[in-house]
C-alpha cells in the first residue's frame, strides 16, 4: 500500500519524465500524457495486481491494461519503467532509431508491458474486450483495464466495442475515458460534440462512474467502487475529468500542446514546476 | 489428368468442417463471426462449442480487435466473414493489432473473387490478396476445393502467426485426395510436364487441370502446380519447374495487379526471368451474374489458360 503522498510524488516524477522525453526526442504528445498521468500512476502503483519483473504476454492471473490512445506513450512508458517493467534509463531512447520505445506503443521490439500496438485510434477497447473474454474462458478472475482518449470516441469502432461489451455483459472490464475536452484541432465541443457521455454509456448498458482524474484520493476511491462493480453483469466505464497538459501551467487547457514538444526554455520552465522525486532518467 | 471429381462442394464448407475438427483437437481454438455464421459454415463449431464462439454482430472492426485480444491469454481465434469485410473494411485494424502486433489470429474469408455471383461487385473482392500480402508477417493462403480448405484450416490452427485464409462461395469440383498432405508454404505439383508450367491458386486450379487435358490433346505437356500459399511463396518449387519448362502461366481469381501472378513475376524478375503470362481479372470490378457466366466473361476458364499457354510458348 502506497500513501497518497507517495503516489503524488510518483506522478510528479512521471510528469518530469514526460517533459524530458518529449524534449529529448523533439517530438511527441505531452498534453494528453500529462492528462492521464495520475490515472496511470493509481493503476500501476496501487490498484493493479501485476508482475512487472516477469512480464509475459498472456498475463494469466494478472490484471491487464490496454492503452488505446497510443500517442500518450510518454506517460505509459514512464509508468512502465518506474514500476519495474524495464530500466528507467531506457526512457532516454524514446522515439530514437532502434529503440524499444516507439513513438506509439508497439510489441515488435519486445518492450515489456506492452501487449498490443496502439496509435491508430479507436482499437484498444476491442482488444481489451477480447482479452477480458480470454480471462473468462481461462477462469481467470482478474480485471482488464483500458484507457481511451475523449477525441478518440469519434471513432466508430469504439461504439461497436461499447455495444458488444454492454450487450454481451463483459463485466470483467473497467474502461476509462480521459475526458480533457481537447483534441488536435481544438475543443471537443467545436470539433465534434460528444454530448452527454454518461447517458450514452449508460444507454449502452455500462455502469458509469465519474471522477476528478487528478485527485489521487478520489481516483483510488472511484477505482475501488469500479472494482466492486465488476462481475455484476455490466462493464464499467469511468469518465476521468482531466485537464490537458495538467501540471505545467502554460500547457494546461491548450490543445496546441497535444502534439508539440517544448523547446529548451519551455522545458526548463516546465521542469521548475515539477518536483524531482525519484531521480531523473 | 489423374484427378477425379469426388463430389461438388463449396470451399467454405471445407472451412466449416476444418474449423470443427481443429476445435475438437485444441480447446484453445475460438471463433468469431460478424453475423454470417450460416454463410461461413461456422454453425457446427458454434453449436459444438457455444462458449468458444463469439457472435459479434455486424461489426468487423471490433471483431478483429477482439480476436487480437483473445490471443492474450493463449486463445487461437478464427474470424469469419466475407473476404471484402475481412480485408478492405478492416485493413487498418488487421495491420495494427494483428500483423504489427504479431498476434496469432486466423482471418478466414469466404465469398472471395467474382464467383460469389449475383451479389455483384460490392461483395466481389478482387484486391484482397494484394492487401494482405503487403502486410509484413502475414501468411496468405487461397485454397482450391473442399478437401484442401479443410486441411488448410486444420494446418493454420497448428501454425503460430497471423494467417489470411481465402476461399469461396460456389460449389466446385472437389478433387484433392483427402490424404494429400497440406503444408503451409509448399507448392503441390499436381501434374508433371515439360513444355510449360501453369501455376494456379483457388478456383483456377481445377481449370488448370482441365487445361492440362486440353493441352495434352494437342501434344503440349503442361506441368500443373498448385500454389495455395501465396505468401510465403514456394520459390524453390517455381524455379525447379521452370528450369525444365522455361515458361510459365499463372492463374487466379483476383485482380491482375497484386495477386499471385505479380508475386511470381517479382520472384522471376529478381532472380531469373522467363516468359510469363497471367490469367486474372484485368484491373476491373466485377458485376452481377451467375458464377460460371462471370468466370467466362472475365476470362478465368480453362480455355483462357490454354490460350495463355500458346501465347507464352511462342515467347520461349
Amino acid at each position: 500500500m502506497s500513501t497518497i503522498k507517495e503516489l503524488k510524488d510518483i506522478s510528479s516524477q512521471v510528469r518530469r519524465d514526460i517533459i524530458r522525453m518529449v524534449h529529448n526526442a523533439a517530438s511527441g504528445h505531452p498534453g494528453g500524457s500529462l492528462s492521464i498521468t495520475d490515472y496511470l500512476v493509481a493503476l500501476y502503483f496501487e490498484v493493479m495486481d501485476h508482475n512487472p519483473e516477469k512480464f509475459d504476454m498472456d498475463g494469466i492471473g494478472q490484471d491487464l491494461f490496454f492503452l488505446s490512445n497510443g500517442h500518450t506513450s510518454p506517460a505509459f512508458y514512464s509508468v512502465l519503467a518506474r514500476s519495474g517493467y524495464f530500466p528507467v534509463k531506457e526512457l532516454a531512447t524514446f522515439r530514437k532509431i532502434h529503440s524499444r520505445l516507439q513513438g506509439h506503443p508497439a510489441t515488435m521490439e519486445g518492450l515489456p508491458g506492452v501487449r498490443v500496438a496502439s496509435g491508430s485510434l479507436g482499437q484498444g477497447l476491442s482488444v481489451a474486450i477480447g482479452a477480458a473474454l480470454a480471462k473468462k474462458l481461462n477462469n481467470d478472475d482478474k480485471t482488464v483495464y483500458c484507457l481511451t482518449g475523449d477525441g478518440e470516441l469519434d471513432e466508430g469502432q469504439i461504439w461497436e466495442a461499447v455495444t458488444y461489451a454492454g450487450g454481451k455483459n463483459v463485466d470483467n472490464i473497467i474502461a476509462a475515458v480521459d475526458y480533457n475536452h481537447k483534441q488536435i484541432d481544438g475543443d471537443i465541443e467545436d470539433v465534434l460534440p460528444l454530448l452527454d457521455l454518461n447517458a450514452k454509456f449508460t444507454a449502452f448498458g455500462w455502469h458509469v462512474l465519474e471522477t476528478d482524474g487528478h485527485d489521487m484520493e478520489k481516483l483510488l476511491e472511484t477505482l475501488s467502487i469500479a472494482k466492486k462493480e465488476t462481475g455484476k453483469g455490466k462493464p464499467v466505464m469511468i469518465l476521468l475529468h482531466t485537464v490537458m497538459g495538467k501540471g505545467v501551467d502554460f500547457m494546461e487547457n491548450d490543445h496546441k500542446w497535444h502534439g508539440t514538444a517544448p523547446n529548451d526554455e519551455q522545458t526548463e520552465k516546465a521542469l521548475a514546476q515539477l518536483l524531482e522525486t525519484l531521480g531523473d532518467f | 489428368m489423374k484427378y477425379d471429381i469426388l463430389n461438388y462442394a463449396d470451399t467454405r464448407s471445407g472451412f466449416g468442417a476444418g474449423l470443427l475438427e481443429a476445435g475438437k483437437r485444441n480447446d484453445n481454438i475460438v471463433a468469431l463471426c460478424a453475423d454470417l455464421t450460416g454463410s461461413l459454415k461456422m454453425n457446427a463449431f458454434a453449436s459444438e462449442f457455444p462458449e468458444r464462439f463469439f457472435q459479434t454482430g455486424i461489426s468487423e472492426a471490433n471483431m478483429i480487435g477482439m480476436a487480437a485480444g483473445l490471443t492474450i491469454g493463449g486463445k487461437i481465434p478464427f474470424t469469419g466473414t466475407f473476404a471484402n469485410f475481412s480485408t478492405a473494411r478492416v485493413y487498418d485494424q488487421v495491420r495494427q493489432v494483428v500483423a504489427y502486433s504479431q498476434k496469432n489470429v486466423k482471418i478466414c474469408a469466404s465469398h472471395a473473387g467474382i464467383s460469389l455471383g449475383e451479389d455483384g461487385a460490392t461483395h466481389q473482392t478482387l484486391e484482397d490478396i494484394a492487401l494482405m500480402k503487403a502486410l509484413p508477417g502475414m501468411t496468405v493462403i487461397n485454397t482450391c476445393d473442399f478437401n484442401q480448405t479443410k486441411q488448410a484450416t486444420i494446418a493454420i490452427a497448428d501454425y503460430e502467426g497471423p494467417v489470411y485464409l481465402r476461399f469461396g462461395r460456389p460449389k466446385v469440383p472437389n478433387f484433392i485426395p483427402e490424404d494429400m498432405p497440406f503444408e503451409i508454404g509448399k507448392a503441390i505439383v499436381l501434374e508433371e510436364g515439360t513444355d510449360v508450367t501453369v501455376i494456379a491458386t483457388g478456383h483456377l486450379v481445377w481449370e488448370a487441370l482441365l487445361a492440362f487435358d486440353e493441352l495434352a490433346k494437342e501434344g503440349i505437356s503442361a506441368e500443373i502446380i498448385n500454389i495455395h500459399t501465396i505468401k510465403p511463396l514456394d520459390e524453390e518449387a517455381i524455379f525447379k519447374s521452370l528450369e525444365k519448362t522455361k515458361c510459365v502461366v499463372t492463374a487466379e481469381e483476383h485482380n491482375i495487379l497484386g495477386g499471385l501472378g505479380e508475386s511470381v513475376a517479382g520472384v522471376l524478375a529478381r532472380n531469373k526471368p522467363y516468359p510469363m503470362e497471367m490469367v486474372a481479372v484485368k484491373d476491373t470490378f466485377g458485376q452481377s451474374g451467375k458464377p460460371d457466366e462471370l468466370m467466362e466473361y472475365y476470362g478465368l476458364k480453362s480455355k483462357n489458360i490454354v490460350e495463355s499457354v500458346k501465347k507464352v510458348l511462342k515467347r520461349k
Side-chain angles (χ1 to χ4, degrees):
Chain A
M1 279 285 284
S2 312
T3 65
I4 297 293
K5 183 184 178 306
E6 282 167 342
L7 293 172
K8 284 180 174 173
D9 282 351
I10 298 168
S11 283
S12 182
Q13 186 64 53
V14 168
R15 287 195 162 91
R16 282 185 71 87
D17 290 348
I18 291 165
I19 297 297
R20 295 183 71 247
M21 287 164 77
V22 173
H23 175 250
N24 189 36
S27 68
H29 299 79
S33 299
L34 294 167
S35 158
I36 67 166
T37 295
D38 300 304
Y39 184 66
L40 289 193
V41 168
L43 278 184
Y44 274 82
F45 289 88
E46 186 61 26
V47 175
M48 276 172 37
D49 184 355
H50 61 129
N51 191 350
E53 282 76 29
K54 279 191 188 164
F55 173 74
D56 75 283
M57 186 54 81
D58 287 341
I60 288 168
Q62 298 180 51
D63 291 333
L64 305 180
F65 172 77
F66 292 94
L67 181 73
S68 189
N69 49 338
H71 58 275
T72 58
S73 58
F76 188 34
Y77 292 151
S78 169
V79 166
L80 287 177
R82 298 280 172 188
S83 60
Y85 280 90
F86 57 86
V88 170
K89 65 173 195 279
E90 204 170 333
L91 295 176
T93 69
F94 176 58
R95 284 179 171 250
K96 308 277 188 193
I97 192 164
H98 304 316
S99 172
R100 297 196 292 179
L101 280 63
Q102 292 292 298
H104 294 79
T107 59
M108 194 67 91
E109 296 77 17
L111 186 69
V114 181
R115 289 192 163 88
V116 75
S118 59
S120 176
L121 294 171
Q123 302 187 26
L125 188 56
S126 301
V127 177
I129 290 167
L133 294 172
K135 285 216 177 290
K136 283 180 182 273
L137 287 172
N138 290 334
N139 296 314
D140 178 346
D141 64 359
K142 295 298 175 190
T143 303
V144 175
Y145 294 87
C146 178
L147 178 61
T148 69
D150 50 4
E152 186 178 8
L153 302 183
D154 297 351
E155 293 282 4
Q157 187 183 343
I158 289 282
W159 299 97
E160 293 183 4
V162 168
T163 303
Y164 187 94
K168 303 255 185 174
N169 312 105
V170 186
D171 60 1
N172 55 343
I173 186 163
I174 298 175
V177 175
D178 178 29
Y179 201 7
N180 63 28
H181 295 265
K182 298 274 183 264
Q183 56 193 108
I184 302 181
D185 274 357
D187 286 2
I188 295 264
E189 286 66 25
D190 296 329
V191 177
L192 182 59
L194 291 170
L195 306 181
D196 188 342
L197 273 188
N198 189 317
K200 283 164 86 171
F201 287 120
T202 303
F204 278 82
W206 288 60
H207 185 90
V208 184
L209 300 168
E210 301 199 36
T211 184
D212 180 328
H214 300 304
D215 182 321
M216 196 54 80
E217 279 179 72
K218 285 185 183 161
L219 273 174
L220 295 182
E221 192 187 311
T222 305
L223 279 162
S224 164
I225 295 167
K227 187 77 198 223
K228 289 194 189 92
E229 286 300 326
T230 59
K232 291 185 182 173
K234 285 185 174 188
V236 182
M237 177 63 72
I238 305 175
L239 301 180
L240 300 166
H241 294 283
T242 55
V243 173
M244 178 177 268
K246 177 73 180 177
V248 177
D249 58 7
F250 61 89
M251 290 186 177
E252 287 188 3
N253 279 316
D254 186 351
H255 72 265
K256 107 172 182 205
W257 290 102
H258 166 86
T260 310
N263 61 27
D264 294 349
E265 190 190 333
Q266 289 163 331
T267 299
E268 204 175 317
K269 209 171 142 194
L271 292 176
Q273 300 171 39
L274 301 165
L275 205 59
E276 182 180 352
T277 53
L278 303 172
D280 287 337
F281 63 83
Chain B
M1 77 173 99
K2 58 189 181 198
Y3 300 92
D4 296 321
I5 296 178
L6 307 169
N7 59 324
Y8 283 85
D10 43 0
T11 49
R12 56 187 167 142
S13 287
F15 164 66
L19 182 63
L20 180 64
E21 178 67 27
K24 285 177 182 167
R25 293 184 192 185
N26 187 341
D27 292 343
N28 280 324
I29 287 171
V30 298
L32 304 90
C33 186
D35 199 27
L36 286 171
T37 314
S39 297
L40 266 286
K41 307 293 179 189
M42 294 169 90
N43 314 62
F45 182 95
S47 38
E48 182 85 13
F49 308 109
E51 73 290 351
R52 285 154 54 192
F53 177 76
F54 301 96
Q55 168 63 267
T56 67
I58 312 163
S59 60
E60 295 83 6
N62 184 46
M63 175 174 74
I64 296 295
M66 281 175 55
L70 276 155
T71 66
I72 300 165
K75 302 303 160 196
I76 305 167
F78 282 63
T79 65
T81 183
F82 291 164
N84 192 27
F85 314 141
S86 297
T87 58
R89 187 175 183 98
V90 293
Y91 196 56
D92 186 43
Q93 284 78 14
V94 172
R95 179 178 182 274
Q96 176 166 283
V97 304
V98 177
Y100 183 43
S101 295
Q102 302 158 296
K103 297 303 183 204
N104 192 23
V105 175
K106 317 302 171 185
I107 298 163
C108 303
S110 180
H111 292 52
I114 53 169
S115 61
L116 71 85
E118 292 80 351
D119 278 345
T122 54
H123 288 52
Q124 294 163 339
T125 179
L126 294 166
E127 312 86 30
D128 55 323
I129 293 173
L131 288 169
M132 298 307 266
K133 80 179 187 185
L135 293 171
M138 181 67 69
T139 294
V140 178
I141 298 172
N142 186 187
T143 50
C144 67
D145 72 353
F146 177 99
N147 282 345
Q148 188 173 75
T149 310
K150 183 179 176 186
Q151 283 186 325
T153 305
I154 294 166
I156 63 173
D158 294 332
Y159 165 82
E160 174 81 26
V163 175
Y164 177 59
L165 179 64
R166 176 196 213 243
F167 42 90
R169 173 176 184 263
K171 287 190 174 166
V172 292
N174 183 32
F175 58 93
I176 294 282
E178 264 187 305
D179 58 354
M180 183 182 279
F182 181 94
E183 201 180 331
I184 297 168
K186 283 276 172 236
I188 303 169
V189 179
L190 291 173
E191 293 284 1
E192 290 188 22
T194 52
D195 297 330
V196 60
T197 300
V198 176
I199 300 176
T201 195
H203 290 146
L204 270 288
V205 177
W206 180 251
E207 297 299 324
L209 288 170
L210 294 177
F212 172 86
D213 280 351
E214 289 168 44
L215 290 163
K217 281 182 211 156
E218 300 183 37
I220 299 167
S221 164
E223 178 143 300
I224 310 296
I225 298 181
N226 169 212
I227 285 198
H228 46 69
T229 308
I230 294 160
K231 184 185 172 185
L233 195 63
D234 190 346
E235 302 185 9
E236 199 184 315
I238 294 170
F239 282 110
K240 192 178 167 198
S241 179
L242 277 169
E243 276 159 26
K244 182 170 59 175
T245 64
K246 312 286 188 198
C247 65
V248 60
V249 171
T250 57
E252 62 193 309
E253 188 184 348
H254 188 271
N255 193 348
I256 195 162
L257 302 178
L260 168 69
E262 275 199 353
S263 282
V264 172
V267 167
L268 300 188
R270 286 189 293 273
N271 295 277
K272 187 173 180 188
Y274 291 96
M276 175 173 178
E277 293 292 331
M278 298 181 195
V279 173
V281 175
K282 308 289 189 295
D283 197 21
T284 181
F285 290 104
Q287 60 173 308
S288 293
K290 291 194 174 69
D292 214 46
E293 288 173 345
L294 293 169
M295 296 297 270
E296 178 96 19
Y297 179 78
Y298 290 101
L300 304 180
K301 301 294 284 182
S302 61
K303 67 176 181 191
N304 307 102
I305 296 172
V306 169
E307 280 165 21
S308 291
V309 163
K310 289 180 180 171
K311 207 167 156 191
V312 84
L313 284 172
K314 285 186 193 149
R315 294 173 52 202
K316 251 172 115 169

